[in-house]
Amino acid sequence: MTTAKDIMHPGAQWIPAHETLDRAAQLMRELNVGALPIADADERLCGILTDRDIVVGCVAMGHDPAQITAGEMAKGTPRWIEAGADVDLVLNEMEGHQIRRLPVIENKRLVGMISEADLAQHLSDEQIAEWVERVYAHR
């Protein structure tokens, strides 16, 4: 059985909810990622911040990214998957919620992220095509 931990990109890093969006953008650049899980004061997942969120939800609205926090951008219920979950559950979670990045949690701690690139490296062409169709179908 292939698990979430088998296909994830290890070493994902949180951004604390109190950090500003300019700091989040710097961290994304340093880590070469387009998304960061947002952690509350208890290091629990409270959202995911994307580079697009910063551009569309802050900069394009005329707001100063040095004045807006990651926590202020967190919306809705964040999705995640247990490290031991079967890859079919990973795909169902991502497809069902039309998301392209999924944090992987083990023992209540962030251990990695699964992105489109991770799926492309570990799934068959048929599985990828089906996933793309379902995730992007209603955008």
Side-chain angles (χ1 to χ4, degrees):
M1 169 177 93
T2 302
T3 67
K5 193 169 188 174
D6 295 331
I7 66 170
M8 73 178 190
H9 182 83
Q13 188 170 332
W14 299 106
I15 183 129
H18 68 269
E19 284 286 358
T20 58
L21 297 185
D22 61 339
R23 178 62 191 126
Q26 293 164 1
L27 187 56
M28 286 180 188
R29 182 189 64 218
E30 289 167 18
L31 298 173
N32 194 30
V33 298
L36 292 170
I38 304 168
D40 67 13
D42 296 321
E43 290 195 356
R44 290 180 301 194
L45 181 67
C46 63
I48 294 180
L49 179 67
T50 67
D51 48 7
R52 187 174 194 283
D53 293 333
I54 295 170
V55 171
V56 174
C58 179
V59 177
M61 301 297 286
H63 301 297
D64 180 358
Q67 300 299 316
I68 306 293
T69 66
E72 290 174 280
M73 297 297 290
K75 295 179 182 80
T77 303
R79 308 307 308 179
W80 54 274
I81 196 90
E82 282 285 340
D86 184 76
V87 71
D88 289 334
L89 289 174
V90 170
L91 295 175
N92 288 340
E93 183 70 15
M94 294 175 86
E95 291 167 2
H97 297 281
Q98 292 189 309
I99 55 177
R100 296 176 286 164
R101 297 172 179 103
L102 188 63
V104 180
I105 306 293
E106 185 174 56
N107 299 321
K108 299 183 181 182
R109 295 284 180 220
L110 178 71
V111 293
M113 288 279 280
I114 297 174
S115 68
E116 293 167 295
D118 297 313
L119 295 178
Q121 290 179 345
H122 294 92
L123 302 179
S124 70
D125 289 346
E126 185 177 296
Q127 285 174 305
I128 294 168
E130 188 175 312
W131 180 83
V132 167
E133 183 178 327
R134 290 183 179 162
V135 169
Y136 289 97
H138 299 95
R139 287 202 172 255

